[in-house]
Amino acid sequence: MAPGASLANSYYWAPGERHKAREHYREALDRAEEQRKVNPRDANLLMNIASYHVMLGDDGAARERLKQAVAIDSDDLFVIYGAAHAYEQLGERDKALQWMEKALDMGYPVGEITRDPFMQKLNEDERFLRLLENRDE
C-alpha cells in the first residue's frame, strides 16, 4: 500500500477525521494509476488500485481492478488476501470468505486478519471462525 493510503487509513479510523481520508485515497489512486502506465500487469498494484476505489465508493472500478489482479496472479498471497479484503469491503461476504480461506491455507497470518479493523465484521462471522479452527495465530 502506498504511503498516501496509509495516511488515508489513519484518517479513516481516527475519531472525527474520516472526512480527511478521501483526499488521501484519491492521491494514492492517482499515483497508482501513474505507476500502472509503466506496468499495467502488476497484480499487486492493481489490487491496491481496487482497494482505493473501494474506499472512494467506486465499486464498479474496484471490481474491475480486482478481477484483473486475480486474473494476472491468483497465486500471489497479497493478491489473494487483497481479494478477500476488497470483497469484504464491497459487502460480498461469501466471496470474501472464499478468498480468505485460500489466504489462510497459504499461510496468511491469522493475527493480521483479526487485528485488521476493516475486517472486524468478518471476524465475527461464524463461518470465518470455523475457518480459524485448528490454525495458529
Side-chain angles (χ1 to χ4, degrees):
M1 187 156 286
S6 295
L7 181 58
N9 287 342
S10 296
Y11 279 128
Y12 186 84
W13 291 109
E17 301 293 330
R18 190 166 282 185
H19 65 282
K20 294 179 183 178
R22 186 172 183 78
E23 170 189 349
H24 294 283
Y25 285 123
R26 171 58 56 197
E27 289 172 5
L29 176 60
D30 291 344
R31 281 193 300 276
E33 288 291 357
E34 285 299 314
Q35 291 175 346
R36 189 166 71 98
K37 292 176 185 175
V38 175
N39 184 1
R41 294 193 46 81
D42 182 334
N44 290 300
L45 180 62
L46 287 166
M47 191 55 69
N48 282 338
I49 292 171
S51 296
Y52 307 149
H53 279 297
V54 167
M55 297 310 294
L56 290 166
D58 189 352
D59 294 356
R63 283 184 181 89
E64 182 62 30
R65 296 298 174 251
L66 171 59
K67 288 176 186 174
Q68 289 173 342
V70 168
I72 290 168
D73 193 352
S74 63
D75 293 323
D76 180 280
L77 188 54
F78 175 80
V79 171
I80 292 165
Y81 181 73
H85 200 277
Y87 279 123
E88 176 65 13
Q89 301 316 305
L90 289 166
E92 296 184 36
R93 176 70 49 82
D94 291 341
K95 287 183 181 180
L97 287 166
Q98 290 170 357
W99 286 100
M100 187 61 71
E101 182 173 19
K102 188 172 181 180
L104 288 166
D105 288 347
M106 291 182 67
Y108 199 87
V110 172
E112 292 289 317
I113 301 163
T114 58
R115 287 187 297 270
D116 185 341
F118 287 104
M119 302 304 265
Q120 181 180 1
K121 289 183 180 167
L122 179 100
N123 285 316
E124 298 167 0
D125 190 299
E126 289 180 22
R127 296 170 295 170
F128 176 69
L129 296 174
R130 281 195 301 274
L131 287 178
L132 294 184
E133 290 176 2
N134 302 315
R135 294 184 194 264
D136 294 327
E137 255 199 68

